[in-house]
Amino acid sequence: MKRTTYAGLVDDQFVGQNVSLKGWVQKRRDLGQLIFIDLRDREGLVQLVFSKEFSEDALKIADQLRNEFVIEITGDVKKRQDKDINPNMKTGTVEVEVHEARILNTAKTPPFDIEDNVNASDELRMKYRYLDLRRPEMLRGLKVRNRITQAVHSYLDENGFLDVETPNLTKSTPEGARDYLVPSRVYPGHFYALPQSPQLFKQLLMGAGIDRYYQIARCFRDEDLRGDRQPEFTQIDLETSFLSAEEIQDITEGLIARVMKDTLDIDVKLPFDRISWNESMSRFGTDQPDVRFSMELKDLTETVRDSEFKVFSGAVERGGQVKAIAVPGGADAFSRKDIDKLGKYVERFGAKGLAWVKVTDDGFSGPIAKFFDVNRTKAVIAATNANVGDLLLFAADRKKIVADTLSYLRVELAKQLNLIDEDKFAFLWVVDWPLFDYDEGDQKWVAAHHPFTMPNEEDVHYLDEGEDPHKAHAQSYDIILNGLELGGGSIRIHTRELQEKMLKALDFTPESAKEQFGFLLDALDFGFPPHGGLAIGLDRFARLLAKRDNIRDVIAFPKNSKAAEPMTDAPSIVSDQQLDELSLKVTKTSFNDEDNK
Amino acid sequence: MKRTTYAGLVDDQFVGQNVSLKGWVQKRRDLGQLIFIDLRDREGLVQLVFSKEFSEDALKIADQLRNEFVIEITGDVKKRQDKDINPNMKTGTVEVEVHEARILNTAKTPPFDIEDNVNASDELRMKYRYLDLRRPEMLRGLKVRNRITQAVHSYLDENGFLDVETPNLTKSTPEGARDYLVPSRVYPGHFYALPQSPQLFKQLLMGAGIDRYYQIARCFRDEDLRGDRQPEFTQIDLETSFLSAEEIQDITEGLIARVMKDTLDIDVKLPFDRISWNESMSRFGTDQPDVRFSMELKDLTETVRDSEFKVFSGAVERGGQVKAIAVPGGADAFSRKDIDKLGKYVERFGAKGLAWVKVTDDGFSGPIAKFFDVNRTKAVIAATNANVGDLLLFAADRKKIVADTLSYLRVELAKQLNLIDEDKFAFLWVVDWPLFDYDEGDQKWVAAHHPFTMPNEEDVHYLDEGEDPHKAHAQSYDIILNGLELGGGSIRIHTRELQEKMLKALDFTPESAKEQFGFLLDALDFGFPPHGGLAIGLDRFARLLAKRDNIRDVIAFPKNSKAAEPMTDAPSIVSDQQLDELSLKVTKTSFNDEDNK
């Protein structure tokens, strides 16, 4: 029998019709002569009724059914009596009287229930991933992801972008994160690398005159995993020729608006705000600000420069900063104990304490209130826009510590005070990033974005001999959603001369530059157009739109936190023959202990 | 300045308008006070005219231009005088009088000309791939490919398929072709494999209730390369639940019709013919028949069983076959020398010679004509539908040799006689394939399609104890285009019992079955729906629609015949640190000689 529609779509429209449905037994209620089955498929549930009255054979079948059996049925759609209507079910006004039924497959009892908010361990869920994905909230994650990619394809196609595939077997470059390697059989001792991104290939496509490229591209990084990371991840990757940073941002906004409309039926307001990296750091202490709420950082460095409170004036004297946030209504909301807890919380960012005052009708109260005379109180209130009843929290330290302390505190307080509208999607551009970042770990300057990023026009001279390249800012832009980096991009360097200067500033010798990026430098010699682009993290975008806590929930078959896949048990030991063919020897083998993965 | 349109799109519609264009200098003709530039971009060429009359500054710029310089210009579109119209150019009726020009980048002289039918070696073209892709015929290949994928996304989305990504870091399975391996850093001595196809994952998605899945999926096989193969390739991959083989074929036909319409504006006639594998072998001697022309194989085994010509009767006696093709008008078209050449040609297929007769008004002529008396002549003519003037070519040997000989001969003759309409796209389904193939090399039975293929309902019993499984045919289907396999699929096994029987028939022990496919067998226990699907080779499809000879021409950055990539020089040597982190030692290193790649 041919399916008429999905079970989850049988609604009032179908009343009076004969339908054929296929799906899984979600639940069975056996009243003897009357058996109710909730039939589940991709689109939801519908209630089936089996009774001798409709079909004795079907009733016998129903008697054998257990959860997760696969069945097909034919029956008549009837309106339920008012008292039987289930308002929590999309199909709750109808039921199907079954005239014919057939078991297509049986099922053992699953290791966890197929329902939302399942109470099973992550490992168990991953081992039985095909069962976990049957749960509606998981299915919804995949559907949201699908809607995003469909919107991306249609919007970018309409806007003249060509979908071009770039290779997954590429050359290893020590720059950036650690590569996944793929040994070559034809060239013993040689390796491909899985791409960390299609960056160089998409630039070369601009050199090839493709003009507008996009790809939903798989990327790979062999790094230790954190919550929002996977060994393989997907980005919406695009590149254009001849466009300015603003034009690329405009196109991206159109793309995001389409995605929001097609996925969640939300109309986002365009254009998004664009703030410079400097402004973002100043107002929010972070380059990924969550602008769903206010509580911005206010600079008090000048206001307290000559304060008698030595924590403030001392910090300023040492070249540091004093900044504050005004917590609305915080004077009552936070006890001294609560504030002590916040002080504890910010220690992780290097803060040596958390100075505070409460704003009262008579000025400030609290242990350090005495250091604020009338004028300074007025000045602080003016600078922070604080109102009576607010709590003022101060950080006084090196710039980075102040920024970290107050930016994390800001988010933490917003959560505690329920200031965040979880239904809001707040997009924002942060532009003009520094060209270089100082890597505290490796004690060296690295490319903030990547080594192909174009400096701002007025900063190009910083890359000249005898100047300080690290002063340069870049034609780069990140798109932030709800305080998380959704993606980013830049205008790229399109002349060999500037690219060589940039690599030199990153401590490449001419030889190492040629060895690693010779093909790009050569390409720049042959009429390379001005170009730029952007990449958006699809996994994170899908997670945010599906309102899930972990990107694993929007990836069909993710890896666990140790980069293993418990269902198929990958990675695994391979045969000696496979290793021989690759001219490889394993020097150490971990126990093949599934529980370890 | 903002681009108005692509250079290649400036036609009569733009006459009288001021346009801004950006692109590459294709050609420069310097008449002193008048300089003509052909400006090229993604969409084609347009002629620019520089003259003191329009702008002295622009003329000075034009004087500096060389091939492949990148420029932007603003000018007025004018209709050309009748005598200047270039009918070979899409924009040949207009030209642009340039008022403003700017050089965006310079270019060295490229190593080969940027034009179709380039006369450069494959290696040179690959080393400068970004230049090769500027050539219109190459760009067209990527555009055709893009149109195909766009059509696939929109058609499958409209038909309720969900685009779901499956992992690229998977478990190695010795079945099938050789895996590309990816060493794990976290689990020393353990390896991921790059997927040869998403087969098991898409089946598991059916188990998860996705109902309709698709993906444009990258696949990897570490095999020695032939003309139409690449180490990584792409397939249009789909899988459905609850549908019959015919329903899946119908959906696929709709998909192909949409692709043909969107890509080449061709209306294909649906449904495609469906013939069984047996019929295909009988009529064409191959399971990938080119049906753009006739010349089918005719079985004469019974007709010549008792022939006095011992080559025929002997072959029949030994259990072989005698078959023939009638070459229309071949009696005049082929001299004895030509026929000798054909005899030579078929030796590679194991044929020991090529018997032939020409059909004349008086019966047969030729060396073996004497063996055909009036009755046998009549019988052969009736069986072959031969006409006067035809050439009859016979093969008499083992079944396989007869099939190979005549099927290749058929195609070779069609080429020589120009019987193939190169503008025709002839699609055809070949269905009901054998479930198993005998691998002559490894001397064992292997799965013809893959081990998850469902036997025909009436053949399921062949997999029972004591029966011969190799007699079974399968619910499988290949889609053939112009004599090439475009893709194929099958209904899959959805019960554990049958899957275990199938693996047993492939010589798996219960242990090795569990080791490799335990997760699938387990999944089949939990309510697996009936399901089936198909995969279409995107690279080949794009090659055929773009009318290119090599799939490399529809892949942006392909590998060469030794699986290397001359532009970036992948694969390459990696650092000892990288190997150490992976607990690997290289036992042999080939010379890092670029020329070898």
Side-chain angles (χ1 to χ4, degrees), chain A residues 88-238:
Chain A
N88 299 320
M89 208 170 163
K90 217 172 74 189
T91 64
T93 58
V94 300
E95 58 189 16
V96 182
E97 295 177 355
V98 177
H99 294 283
E100 243 187 291
R102 200 156 75 91
I103 295 175
L104 299 176
N105 212 346
T106 59
K108 295 204 303 196
T109 303
F112 50 81
D113 289 337
I114 309 300
E115 60 187 25
D116 286 350
N117 303 312
V118 70
N119 194 13
S121 73
D122 281 357
E123 289 301 293
L124 193 67
R125 287 174 54 202
M126 288 185 74
K127 188 167 170 62
Y128 296 95
R129 188 69 176 174
Y130 43 90
L131 298 179
D132 197 30
L133 291 176
R134 285 184 194 169
R135 300 189 306 108
E137 62 185 5
M138 294 298 283
L139 235 158
R140 193 174 157 274
L142 296 187
K143 283 187 190 172
V144 164
R145 188 183 178 109
N146 169 68
R147 277 268 62 78
I148 296 175
T149 58
Q150 299 297 348
V152 168
H153 287 300
S154 62
Y155 175 85
L156 291 176
D157 184 36
E158 287 163 25
N159 282 276
F161 286 77
L162 295 182
D163 181 356
V164 181
E165 293 181 71
T166 55
N168 275 355
L169 296 172
T170 67
K171 186 187 179 176
S172 180
T173 57
E175 266 301 285
R178 196 184 289 108
D179 283 326
Y180 275 108
L181 298 181
V182 182
S184 159
R185 179 177 52 89
V186 182
Y187 298 96
H190 288 58
F191 294 79
Y192 305 96
L194 300 179
Q196 296 184 25
S197 90
Q199 184 60 36
L200 288 175
F201 290 106
K202 70 175 174 173
Q203 292 190 226
L204 290 166
L205 287 174
M206 294 304 103
I210 295 297
D211 202 73
R212 293 186 171 204
Y213 142 95
Y214 86 99
Q215 186 182 194
I216 297 185
R218 201 74 63 88
C219 307
F220 304 84
R221 286 183 201 172
D222 185 10
E223 295 294 337
D224 299 323
L225 302 183
R226 289 188 263 128
D228 225 12
R229 280 206 190 161
Q230 281 277 314
E232 49 182 315
F233 56 97
T234 305
Q235 64 191 34
I236 303 164
D237 194 51
L238 55 92

Side-chain angles (χ1 to χ4, degrees), chain A residues 298-413:
Chain A
K298 301 295 179 181
D299 195 343
L300 302 175
T301 309
E302 292 314 315
T303 317
V304 301
R305 177 178 288 280
D306 57 352
S307 168
E308 282 154 37
F309 184 43
K310 290 301 165 203
V311 171
F312 286 1
S313 51
V316 178
E317 215 165 280
R318 287 187 296 275
Q321 285 184 327
V322 179
K323 298 181 90 167
I325 51 179
V327 187
D332 282 347
F334 289 87
S335 67
R336 190 174 282 231
K337 217 172 121 193
D338 294 332
I339 298 172
D340 285 348
K341 263 194 212 155
L342 295 175
K344 200 87 199 147
Y345 170 73
V346 299
E347 278 174 18
R348 72 193 71 180
F349 309 114
K352 284 177 287 292
L354 190 62
W356 60 273
V357 296
K358 291 183 174 179
V359 185
T360 68
D361 286 325
D362 311 320
F364 292 162
S365 75
I368 66 165
K370 60 186 172 210
F371 296 111
F372 295 85
D373 61 21
V374 175
N375 283 339
R376 209 180 302 274
T377 300
K378 269 191 187 159
V380 167
I381 285 182
T384 57
N385 287 323
N387 296 309
V388 171
D390 287 359
L391 171 68
L392 278 176
L393 296 169
F394 304 89
D397 214 309
R398 286 192 294 121
K399 198 170 169 180
K400 180 165 166 41
I401 292 176
V402 169
D404 286 351
T405 298
L406 292 183
S407 66
Y408 281 97
L409 201 54
R410 179 177 170 268
V411 173
E412 178 59 27
L413 290 165

Side-chain angles (χ1 to χ4, degrees), chain A residues 1-8 10 14 18-24 39-43 71-74, chain B residues 159-160 206 209-212 240-243 247 529-530:
Chain A
M1 52 180 88
K2 207 165 171 163
R3 175 164 56 190
T4 319
T5 183
Y6 285 111
V10 179
F14 287 86
N18 185 268
V19 294
S20 290
L21 305 174
K22 313 200 180 203
W24 285 260
L39 183 72
R40 188 192 71 238
D41 65 18
R42 192 176 91 180
E43 302 303 327
I71 59 172
E72 59 182 12
I73 66 97
T74 300
Chain B
N159 282 276
M206 294 304 102
I210 296 297
D211 201 72
R212 294 186 170 203
T240 65
S241 296
F242 304 117
L243 296 183
E247 287 169 317

Side-chain angles (χ1 to χ4, degrees), chain B residues 408-461:
Chain B
Y408 282 97
L409 201 54
R410 179 176 170 268
V411 172
E412 177 61 26
L413 290 165
K415 282 183 193 156
Q416 291 188 15
L417 293 168
N418 261 323
L419 297 181
I420 301 173
D421 178 352
E422 294 291 348
D423 287 330
K424 201 166 169 179
F425 291 92
F427 293 94
L428 174 80
W429 288 105
V430 175
V431 305
D432 283 335
W433 289 58
L435 189 57
F436 297 90
D437 247 358
Y438 191 71
D439 184 328
E440 309 264 356
D442 289 354
Q443 302 256 319
K444 63 169 189 178
W445 287 96
V446 295
H449 194 57
H450 55 53
F452 320 109
T453 306
M454 180 75 102
N456 279 329
E457 216 165 309
E458 66 273 20
D459 291 354
V460 168
H461 70 91

Side-chain angles (χ1 to χ4, degrees), chain B residues 317-478:
Chain B
E317 212 166 282
R318 286 187 296 276
Q321 285 184 327
V322 179
K323 298 182 91 168
I325 50 179
V327 186
D332 282 346
F334 289 86
S335 67
R336 188 174 283 230
K337 216 171 119 191
D338 294 333
I339 298 172
D340 284 349
K341 265 192 211 154
L342 294 175
K344 201 84 199 147
Y345 171 73
V346 299
E347 278 174 18
R348 73 193 69 181
F349 308 114
K352 283 176 288 293
L354 191 63
W356 59 273
V357 296
K358 291 183 174 179
V359 185
T360 69
D361 286 326
D362 311 321
F364 292 162
S365 75
I368 66 163
K370 60 185 171 210
F371 295 111
F372 295 85
D373 61 21
V374 175
N375 283 340
R376 209 180 302 272
T377 300
K378 270 190 187 161
V380 167
I381 285 181
T384 57
N385 288 323
N387 294 310
V388 171
D390 286 359
L391 171 67
L392 279 176
L393 296 169
F394 303 90
D397 214 309
R398 286 192 294 123
K399 199 171 168 179
K400 180 167 169 34
I401 292 177
V402 168
D404 286 352
T405 299
L406 292 183
S407 67
Y408 282 97
L409 201 54
R410 179 176 170 268
V411 172
E412 177 61 26
L413 290 165
K415 282 183 193 156
Q416 291 188 15
L417 293 168
N418 261 323
L419 297 181
I420 301 173
D421 178 352
E422 294 291 348
D423 287 330
K424 201 166 169 179
F425 291 92
F427 293 94
L428 174 80
W429 288 105
V430 175
V431 305
D432 283 335
W433 289 58
L435 189 57
F436 297 90
D437 247 358
Y438 191 71
D439 184 328
E440 309 264 356
D442 289 354
Q443 302 256 319
K444 63 169 189 178
W445 287 96
V446 295
H449 194 57
H450 55 53
F452 320 109
T453 306
M454 180 75 102
N456 279 329
E457 216 165 309
E458 66 273 20
D459 291 354
V460 168
H461 70 91
Y462 286 127
L463 273 72
D464 288 342
E465 202 65 48
E467 296 221 42
D468 181 2
H470 311 122
K471 285 186 182 159
H473 279 244
Q475 297 185 41
S476 60
Y477 33 85
D478 270 16

